[in-house]
Amino acid sequence: MLYIAGPMTGHHEFNYPAFRVAADALTRAGYTVAHTATGTAPKPADAYPHTYYLRHALAMLLECDSVALLPGWEASRGARVEVDVAHALGMTCLPVDVWIRQAYLSE
């Protein structure tokens, strides 16, 4: 299963639209995906502390085998932690478009 990691804080709707587009494309390419941008993006007044979201994200990441990276992940504190954990666990981390290209090349 592929975990989608990317920037959220400071993005419109916490970047949920980008996560959903990536999830749809990866699913169409044959992957099973997991990501934290499900449901409705929280409003800033409803938002929990960053650590709440990071704990949820890391628990989801641990159930996956590899990571698909959204553009801009390098500038995201949370995504960098997710990638560090993934690398420590021996997971492959590649951009979303690379995963998609690989899927279609292997057909």
Side-chain angles (χ1 to χ4, degrees):
M1 182 168 9
L2 274 176
Y3 177 82
I4 303 173
M8 298 181 96
T9 303
H11 289 264
H12 176 70
E13 293 184 24
F14 291 93
N15 214 18
Y16 276 36
F19 278 84
R20 290 180 182 137
V21 167
D24 288 345
L26 289 163
T27 299
R28 282 193 310 274
Y31 296 104
T32 301
V33 299
H35 61 91
T36 59
T38 58
T40 304
K43 295 177 180 66
D46 300 334
Y48 291 97
H50 184 264
T51 53
Y52 169 87
Y53 295 106
L54 186 57
R55 285 175 181 266
H56 176 70
L58 290 174
M60 189 177 287
L61 170 67
L62 294 176
E63 299 299 318
C64 296
D65 305 303
S66 302
V67 179
L69 302 165
L70 289 175
W73 72 269
E74 305 94 334
S76 166
R77 180 175 51 154
R80 286 194 321 267
V81 169
E82 292 164 346
V83 169
D84 286 346
V85 169
H87 282 153
L89 296 173
M91 295 179 183
T92 301
C93 299
L94 298 170
V96 168
D97 62 327
V98 173
W99 286 108
I100 293 169
R101 194 168 37 251
Q102 286 182 354
Y104 288 115
L105 289 175
S106 68
E107 289 183 344

